Amino acid sequence: MITTQKHPVPEIPYAAPRLASDREHLVRAADHLWRVQNDAGRILGHLRIVADPLGLHYRAERLHLATGAFRLVGDFWRPDDAVQALRNG
């Protein structure tokens, strides 16, 4: 008799992406989500890793406090591009 697993397997959290710039750093907020903070500790937004058939991409998001929902800033193939969008937005 073959049995199947009834409980979903938990996802393995990704390691924090490495950023080329020293101006910002990442603080884990969830398995696939990091807060992007500048040197002063100000939160610029969030960086989310999203699996795609072509590879991982990085989503720049901002939390909208009134609704508690994330707002998309953009999807990028490099984490540095996503952080730059948060820095300049």
Side-chain angles (χ1 to χ4, degrees), residues 18-47:
R18 291 183 184 255
L19 300 177
S21 171
D22 291 335
R23 293 170 51 182
E24 294 86 18
H25 64 278
L26 303 176
V27 177
R28 185 177 292 279
D31 287 350
H32 304 112
L33 181 71
W34 290 266
R35 275 185 228 81
V36 179
Q37 293 182 321
N38 65 12
D39 288 337
R42 180 175 172 258
I43 298 172
L44 304 178
H46 290 79
L47 177 70

Side-chain angles (χ1 to χ4, degrees), residues 1 3-4 11 13 17 31 34 50 56-57 59-60 79 81 88-89:
M1 177 179 195
T3 59
T4 58
E11 290 192 38
D31 287 350
W34 290 266
V50 180
L56 296 178
H57 68 267
R59 182 168 288 165
D81 294 338
N88 296 332

